[in-house]
Every structure is written in C-alpha cells, then in structure tokens.
Amino acid sequence: MTLSHLPALDRLRQRAEEGRVTLRVARTFPAEHAAEAHRLLAKGGVRDRLVLTFCGSATRGGSRPWSG
C-alpha cells in the first residue's frame, strides 16, 4: 500500500466510526458448514456477504441462518 491511500482509508475509518458504513449479509452458516458456503461462492451469483458463525447460530441484520 502506498501513502497515497491513507486519506481514503481515513475517510473510510471515519464513516465506519459514524455508523455510515454497513455490510449486507446474504446468509449465515455455522463454521462446520464452511465448505457449503465456499461452494456457493465458487458457483457465483452470491450478492452481499456470506458469514460464518463460530458460537451459536446468531443472525443479524435480516440475514438468514443456514437451513440444511
């Protein structure tokens, strides 16, 4: 990374601290189903993010828990 990126990174940091940066989650998977999440990504067509959960099956922001 070059120093020319620092102003953009600082703006991103500031927006994140203000809560103006949000991540959209397409689907959550328990960690033991990481292979399935990887297959979906490899297949293509996934918009937003796939999230692996490592403790419990918590979902946030309208995301759908994995349903096998």
Side-chain angles (χ1 to χ4, degrees):
M1 180 181 343
T2 65
L3 292 178
S4 65
H5 289 76
L6 291 179
L9 288 173
D10 191 50
R11 284 192 304 275
L12 179 60
R13 176 201 51 81
Q14 185 176 19
R15 289 176 182 156
E17 288 175 355
E18 293 169 353
R20 297 188 324 175
V21 175
T22 59
L23 298 176
R24 295 187 326 189
V25 176
R27 200 162 160 189
T28 61
F29 293 83
E32 58 271 14
H33 295 283
E36 173 65 16
H38 189 268
R39 279 191 288 277
L40 282 174
L41 283 174
K43 189 168 90 172
V46 175
R47 297 188 73 190
D48 305 325
R49 279 116 182 122
L50 299 180
V51 175
L52 297 178
T53 57
F54 290 89
C55 52
S57 59
T59 60
R60 269 183 73 204
S63 57
R64 273 185 13 229
W66 183 79
S67 57

